[in-house]
Amino acid sequence: MQHLFLLALLPLFSTLAFAASADDWRSRSIYQIITDRYALPANSGIDPNACDPMQQRICGGTWASITANLDYIQNMGFTAIWISPVNQNIPGPTAYGDPYHGYWIADITQLNDRFGTADDLKALSNALHQRGMLLMVDVVVNNVASTSMTPDYSQYYFKDPSLYHPYCPVDYSNQTSAQQCWLGDTKLPLPDVNTENPTVINAYNQWVGQFVQEYQIDGLRIDAAKHVRRDFWGPFCQASGVFCIGEVFGDDLQTCASYQDPSSLDSVLNFPQYSALQDAFVLPGKANMSSLVDEFDQARKAFKDVGVLGNFLENQDLPRWKNQSIDVQTMFQALTFSFMSDGIPIVYYGQEQGFSGNHDPANREPLWPSGYTQTDTVNFITMLNKLRNRLIETSDWVTEPAEIISYTNSTLFLAKGFVVSVLTNIGSPPRNMSANMVGSGFAPGQVMIDTVTCQQLIIGSQGSINIDYSKGGRASILIPEYYLRGSDLCLTAQRASFQSVSAPPTSSAFPSLQLSLSPAAISALLGALVYIGLFHV
């Protein structure tokens, strides 16, 4: 009977997983993938040492090889993936190599057969949903690609040249120019689609709805979103029926925030926060904690919903963190902020393996030479995901607003719900200093567990917190021990505190643990049950 009941509910859960909203994505963490560089197909015969990112050649990754290697991603605790564009590209080679990344669009209504078949893409989507995970796909709407300044329009979805803006070089200081002129250069121009034209608008809206439906896509990452007028995106995203997060490149906070609007996009990638995290933590660097605090405060005034912004430290267009900072602890500090603050954490493939490429194309390394090793960064990210997922599954933590409750030039205390993260930019070497604050809101004597070190910390008088850096500047994530009960996080520390801790408080300052599953969490649970075989469909 129970089996039949769950079977009857399966269509409902499948719909929830596939028509994912902003609230469904709020609780996710995303692993970003360039399909060509994530994994080689089994028995492909491709030389695993032949992929040099500087050569800008197709290396052989496919949708099927992602599907075959999902354990690596799920074992780190990620609950969604974002894959590079899946649509047909122009043939290569070009002046800048092969279109291995998927961004040089020809006909957007066709799939890129270099990465597999329609069945392969559907199989990837199905495999993710069976694991309770979501699929985000990158889409390029603003432009197509050409190897000539006189494009052959017959190769594109829009074959009429009048459906494109006439050529002009982009003046980035002028918004109209940025939205209507051609990106790229004279060696590889990117003809700009006229997204003000009703024919284009209607065709794109019809296409995106069918595209999402056919491949059961849960979210769209919009490439070059700021190069299209804002009010194009509202109907486009509504037609898609799923969450849309756009690329508004640059650290201008007001421009970035203007694209998160009911008439435009659900969300944007948080480039202003990325820049502020660099200012605060990169070594050698500015060590400007005030820059991060200011950006944090301004963002909460400018954005409609900081809880669904995309938090990242790396992507396919930026140098790797390790390329800019010599100290791995600085990355751990910034990762902690990204995961434990408001927003959706995104990790670009290879960051967990310590990749250090500079700008494109050096930052598009193949992942397979790493051997998918269990590195310290893999372990750190796994801990962050495990804790964040635990908090989301058992409380309303994800909807609690984050707050910077104290900071100095070298330390920062970030509170979200009943979790306090203590960050520093001093780096790994031991220092004769500590991070201190009073008035944390926790009662004196409260036993906290630092999930980074699994050590106990006792709240001092007046709610004081003291983190010692005599062994180096490590991040700390402090949580009352009773919120970890029933999890496998820091089990030894949990056991050591059982005799000294009273029952969880019930005041509004520290809410008692509650089971509160969102539709996305319910869908994830069902998907997990299917995956491990507790029932069959």
Side-chain angles (χ1 to χ4, degrees):
M1 181 65 70
Q2 192 173 33
H3 172 104
L4 294 175
F5 173 72
L6 289 170
L7 189 61
L9 288 178
L10 185 61
L12 170 62
F13 289 129
S14 298
T15 301
L16 287 169
F18 142 67
S21 67
D23 280 335
D24 294 316
W25 280 93
R26 186 187 309 276
S27 62
R28 300 288 167 158
S29 61
I30 303 172
Y31 186 78
Q32 180 194 352
I33 294 170
I34 292 180
T35 296
D36 184 63
R37 302 297 165 86
Y38 175 67
L40 288 176
N43 304 315
S44 65
I46 298 173
D47 182 353
N49 300 309
C51 185
D52 178 358
M54 301 308 294
Q55 296 297 315
Q56 299 177 275
R57 297 292 182 245
I58 292 171
C59 290
T62 65
W63 300 318
S65 61
I66 295 174
T67 304
N69 290 277
L70 287 176
D71 283 351
Y72 173 74
I73 301 169
Q74 191 172 36
N75 288 345
M76 284 188 285
F78 290 101
T79 52
I81 67 170
W82 149 20
I83 62 172
S84 50
V86 302
N87 313 99
Q88 184 189 78
N89 275 212
I90 60 172
T94 72
Y96 301 107
D98 295 331
Y100 64 90
H101 42 68
Y103 289 94
W104 293 341
I105 299 298
D107 187 342
I108 199 170
T109 67
Q110 305 298 312
L111 290 183
N112 191 333
D113 59 11
R114 295 182 180 93
F115 303 137
T117 66
D119 286 343
D120 292 335
L121 184 54
K122 291 175 183 177
L124 172 58
S125 178
N126 290 336
L128 287 163
H129 292 155
Q130 287 175 3
R131 293 167 179 259
M133 299 173 71
L134 299 185
L135 172 63
M136 178 176 286
V137 173
D138 213 320
V139 293
V140 182
V141 172
N142 173 69
N143 56 265
V144 292
S146 176
T147 56
S148 166
M149 292 299 294
T150 55
D152 174 11
Y153 289 98
S154 68
Q155 66 184 312
Y156 307 133
Y157 177 41
F158 298 112
K159 303 183 187 305
D160 183 347
S162 70
L163 298 180
Y164 298 82
H165 291 124
Y167 171 75
C168 53
V170 176
D171 174 3
Y172 288 95
S173 67
N174 182 287
Q175 184 69 358
T176 300
S177 174
Q179 292 180 352
Q180 297 189 0
C181 293
W182 292 18
L183 300 174
D185 58 23
T186 56
K187 294 180 180 179
L188 204 154
L190 304 178
D192 197 82
V193 179
N194 185 353
T195 49
E196 296 88 31
N197 186 291
T199 298
V200 169
I201 294 170
N202 292 335
Y204 265 149
N205 290 351
Q206 182 177 6
W207 164 75
V208 74
Q210 294 172 346
F211 175 63
V212 166
Q213 289 277 343
E214 182 171 2
Y215 298 105
Q216 296 193 17
I217 295 164
D218 305 292
L220 299 175
R221 183 268 187 184
I222 310 290
D223 187 62
K226 77 173 182 180
H227 294 283
V228 176
R229 59 188 175 84
R230 294 175 185 84
D231 60 0
F232 170 86
W233 295 121
F236 179 84
C237 293
Q238 185 175 10
S240 77
V242 296
F243 176 70
C244 290
I245 184 169
E247 177 199 29
V248 182
F249 196 97
D251 58 8
D252 187 318
L253 191 148
Q254 296 301 324
T255 298
C256 196
S258 70
Y259 278 83
Q260 188 189 41
D261 189 87
S263 65
S264 189
L265 297 166
D266 297 308
S267 179
V268 292
L269 295 165
N270 201 343
F271 279 91
Q273 179 175 282
Y274 162 77
S275 296
L277 287 170
Q278 285 193 308
D279 288 348
F281 294 114
V282 164
L283 287 178
K286 299 177 181 179
N288 187 351
M289 203 69 85
S290 296
S291 174
L292 178 57
V293 174
D294 181 62
E295 187 282 331
F296 181 92
D297 291 340
Q298 293 302 316
R300 275 134 193 85
K301 298 173 184 176
F303 286 102
K304 300 288 193 302
D305 185 354
V306 292
V308 293
L309 299 181
N311 298 342
F312 66 95
L313 303 183
E314 298 181 357
N315 67 29
Q316 77 280 8
D317 295 320
L318 299 169
R320 299 278 189 176
W321 187 275
K322 189 176 179 180
N323 183 270
Q324 302 172 86
S325 187
I326 62 174
D327 192 324
V328 70
Q329 287 299 327
T330 67
M331 182 173 68
F332 291 173
Q333 305 285 339
L335 279 169
T336 299
F337 192 96
S338 294
F339 274 77
M340 302 312 296
S341 185
D342 303 317
I344 304 168
I346 302 170
V347 172
Y348 180 49
Y349 85 100
Q351 182 174 7
E352 76 283 1
Q353 294 295 336
F355 286 4
S356 58
N358 202 337
H359 289 279
D360 163 24
N363 59 358
R364 300 173 178 186
E365 309 95 321
L367 185 59
W368 48 87
S370 73
Y372 308 91
T373 306
Q374 193 83 7
T375 65
D376 288 343
T377 307
V378 167
N379 292 335
F380 191 83
I381 290 172
T382 301
M383 178 277 296
L384 289 173
N385 266 322
K386 186 178 291 188
L387 174 61
R388 187 173 183 272
N389 293 340
R390 166 75 178 176
L391 295 170
I392 289 167
E393 291 164 2
T394 58
S395 74
D396 59 358
W397 174 87
V398 75
T399 58
E400 292 284 341
E403 180 183 2
I404 294 175
I405 54 177
S406 181
Y407 76 98
T408 67
N409 290 335
S410 58
T411 63
L412 182 145
F413 289 76
L414 173 74
K416 183 173 172 68
F418 43 83
V419 182
V420 176
S421 301
V422 188
L423 309 176
T424 182
N425 56 17
I426 64 173
S428 297
R431 298 281 291 272
N432 184 25
M433 63 171 290
S434 60
N436 301 280
M437 73 162 295
V438 296
S440 67
F442 292 95
Q446 170 67 56
V447 177
M448 310 289 282
I449 293 178
D450 181 348
T451 62
V452 176
T453 63
C454 286
Q455 299 295 310
Q456 289 187 13
L457 179 143
I458 308 298
I459 299 295
S461 62
Q462 302 180 45
S464 63
I465 296 175
N466 179 279
I467 303 293
D468 176 50
Y469 293 133
S470 62
K471 294 183 179 180
R474 296 178 179 271
S476 295
I477 304 174
L478 307 175
I479 181 171
E481 67 80 29
Y482 42 77
Y483 283 109
L484 296 183
R485 294 179 189 175
S487 77
D488 61 354
L489 285 158
C490 299
L491 288 174
T492 300
Q494 285 189 58
R495 285 192 290 268
S497 65
F498 282 165
Q499 300 302 317
S500 59
V501 180
S502 60
T506 57
S507 70
S508 59
F510 306 112
S512 59
L513 195 63
Q514 296 179 358
L515 182 63
S516 177
L517 295 180
S518 67
I522 295 171
S523 175
L525 176 61
L526 185 77
L529 290 173
V530 172
Y531 177 65
I532 64 177
L534 291 185
F535 70 94
H536 303 282
V537 295

